[in-house]
Amino acid sequence: MTDLRTGVREDFAEIFGREPDGVWSAPGRVNLIGEHTDYNLGFVLPFAINRRTVAAVGVRDDRILRVGSTFSDELVEVPLEELGPGTLSGWSAYPLGVAWALGEFGADLEAVPGVDILIDSNVPVGAGLSSSAAIESAVALALDEIWRLGFDRRTLARVGQRAENVAVGAPTGIMDQSASLLGEPDAAVFLDCRSLDSEIVPLGLEEAGLQIVIIDTGVTHAHSTGGYASRRASCEEGARVLGVEALRDVSVADLDRARELLDDVTFRRVRHVVTEDQRVLDTVRTLREHGPTAIGELLDASHVSMRDDFEISVPELDLAVETAQANGALGARMTGGGFGGAAIALAPADAVSRIMVAIDGAFAEHGFGQPDVFTVTASQGAVRES
Ligand code: ADP
Ligand code: MG
């Protein structure tokens, strides 16, 4: 982290010929439990991870926004007057989209100076750890402070989401930005996706001697976009037939009635969302009452529900989960939207290396590509670094 912070300062000076006014950082995130519940206005429980994106920012004496990233060779320049979703594309739509979205939330962009922004990161891109929220949140916090806007973090999360939805054009919920901006060390962010209320829930992993293992399968499924859309459509259909605004309003006790009213596929999609919401609530309660060693079964049940009812797992994810479980993990599940991406396992620290070796072996045995397996810790949300 120190390296990333120092490095971005030095690179900024080299590229822009002066020192930045400050360096801000924001983490990626992983979702502990609560999948496909966000757009059903239910509950999620992500945490910020110890992989971060840093943004060095310096004020200019004109009205130009310039952004660079170690990720790319190009330096993108846009006059503040021309900032708009239509003028942005590629990776720079994330940071510049945030600048635009701040205006949508009431910032007077006619009264602010131009800035130079340089981005660096150690959040893996496209691994389901939300490098997108990390870049949005780092830039949102930086511009909020540089431009003296005074937005609270919940609003900055919505700014990041707006940038991603409109400037980038990706239909994502509010979970990732909330985790990146609100996360705290060794704690998860319990988020109600209807009210957007959030609560910090201590994880206590360190004290319990537990670690979180990420297994990035490297699989990106060609059908993930269509699969996501069709799952959303099933959820909307289920809510419509059951006469509720969103599946959040259906409880586990309502499922018997739902079975009579819905076709089999829609019923199973609904059952996943309804039981997953309940599992998030149960996980929060269990963490508070019994600590993290007691949540393994809930993680396992979440995976089964996604595999069998929501049908968004793939063989690589199932193998990662089963191998972790068979080698000492207390619980494991795929995380993220599905059709590829990563799984997480909750494991005693002394089982982690065995799990890693076993997963490597199992993937090789099945002829699957080598997965990227590493541990993460629950970390601080976005901060000003210097
Ligand atoms: P994920 O959020 O799962 O990592 P996304 O597709 O949502 O994947 O976001 C990844 C995109 O975000 C990248 O393709 C790039 O456009 C942008 N991005 C993320 N990190 C950086 C970075 N450090 N520099 C520039 N662009 C970045
Ligand atoms: Mg993303």
Side-chain angles (χ1 to χ4, degrees):
M1 185 56 225
T2 310
D3 289 349
L4 210 54
R5 197 169 60 197
T6 319
V8 81
R9 237 179 201 289
E10 288 169 7
D11 291 347
F12 185 99
E14 195 168 304
I15 293 170
F16 297 116
R18 66 184 200 285
E19 287 293 312
D21 293 307
V23 174
W24 286 260
S25 78
R29 65 94 190 95
V30 80
N31 193 19
L32 185 60
I33 195 163
E35 226 65 77
H36 288 264
T37 47
D38 56 351
Y39 55 83
N40 290 298
L41 305 185
F43 307 106
V44 293
L45 191 63
F47 61 88
I49 59 172
N50 56 329
R51 301 281 191 117
R52 303 182 80 87
T53 294
V54 291
V57 182
V59 174
R60 296 169 59 94
D61 51 19
D62 59 14
R63 296 259 304 148
I64 287 176
L65 297 178
R66 215 164 31 151
V67 56
S69 166
T70 49
F71 186 93
S72 151
D73 290 332
E74 59 174 344
L75 211 52
V76 179
E77 217 176 279
V78 182
L80 269 157
E81 281 69 28
E82 289 171 27
L83 197 59
T87 61
L88 303 174
S89 64
W91 68 268
S92 66
Y94 292 83
L96 296 174
V98 165
W100 164 78
L102 286 166
E104 294 295 292
F105 278 81
D108 181 4
L109 295 189
E110 288 178 15
V112 299
V115 291
D116 288 326
I117 304 173
L118 185 67
I119 309 287
D120 196 2
S121 178
N122 60 15
V123 185
V125 171
L129 299 179
S130 207
S131 67
S132 55
I135 186 171
E136 289 153 11
S137 302
V139 170
L141 193 69
L143 293 180
D144 179 70
E145 200 173 324
I146 286 262
W147 285 343
R148 297 171 211 249
L149 303 176
F151 287 125
D152 62 25
R153 285 177 180 242
R154 285 167 56 164
T155 307
L156 293 179
R158 293 173 63 210
V159 164
Q161 182 196 19
R162 183 76 61 88
E164 190 154 345
N165 290 170
V166 183
V168 176
T172 55
I174 188 79
M175 165 167 74
D176 301 356
Q177 296 82 1
S178 300
S180 184
L181 281 153
L182 302 173
E184 291 184 15
D186 206 10
V189 179
F190 173 40
L191 182 69
D192 178 332
C193 297
R194 171 174 272 158
S195 66
L196 300 186
D197 284 344
S198 63
E199 254 177 274
I200 293 296
V201 179
L203 286 169
L205 293 175
E206 226 164 288
E207 198 189 327
L210 299 178
Q211 294 203 334
I212 300 278
V213 183
I214 306 285
I215 306 109
D216 177 9
T217 64
V219 176
T220 49
H221 199 288
H223 298 315
S224 65
T225 315
Y228 179 83
S230 89
R231 295 310 182 278
R232 267 188 97 134
S234 292
C235 292
E236 278 162 24
E237 169 67 5
R240 190 187 61 77
V241 172
L242 297 173
V244 291
E245 187 207 353
L247 292 182
R248 153 71 174 276
D249 301 312
V250 180
S251 72
V252 173
D254 298 328
L255 285 174
D256 282 341
R257 191 177 71 93
R259 189 194 295 270
E260 286 167 20
L261 295 173
L262 301 170
D263 65 86
D264 174 60
V265 170
T266 310
F267 171 68
R268 287 187 293 111
R269 305 300 189 246
V270 167
R271 182 166 62 185
H272 163 70
V273 173
V274 171
T275 57
E276 185 78 351
D277 268 335
Q278 187 59 48
R279 280 185 290 272
V280 177
L281 297 174
D282 291 346
T283 302
V284 170
R285 186 176 37 77
T286 304
L287 281 168
R288 286 181 173 143
E289 290 174 5
H290 307 288
T293 47
I295 66 168
E297 281 176 24
L298 289 161
L299 302 183
D300 293 344
S302 171
H303 185 76
V304 170
S305 178
M306 286 187 283
R307 185 191 64 198
D308 298 346
D309 272 355
F310 221 57
E311 297 181 278
I312 54 172
S313 191
V314 292
E316 289 86 346
L317 287 168
D318 292 340
L319 183 66
V321 164
E322 285 156 21
T323 308
Q325 287 163 341
N327 284 276
L330 303 181
R333 59 184 284 277
M334 54 152 284
T335 180
F339 307 103
I344 61 170
L346 175 71
D350 60 11
V352 168
S353 55
R354 178 154 62 100
I355 289 171
M356 288 179 162
V357 171
I359 287 173
D360 267 350
F363 270 59
E365 204 176 293
H366 282 74
F368 295 157
Q370 194 176 355
D372 193 10
V373 190
F374 52 94
T375 60
V376 290
T377 54
S379 301
Q380 178 64 48
V383 289
R384 180 173 186 152
E385 296 281 359
S386 62

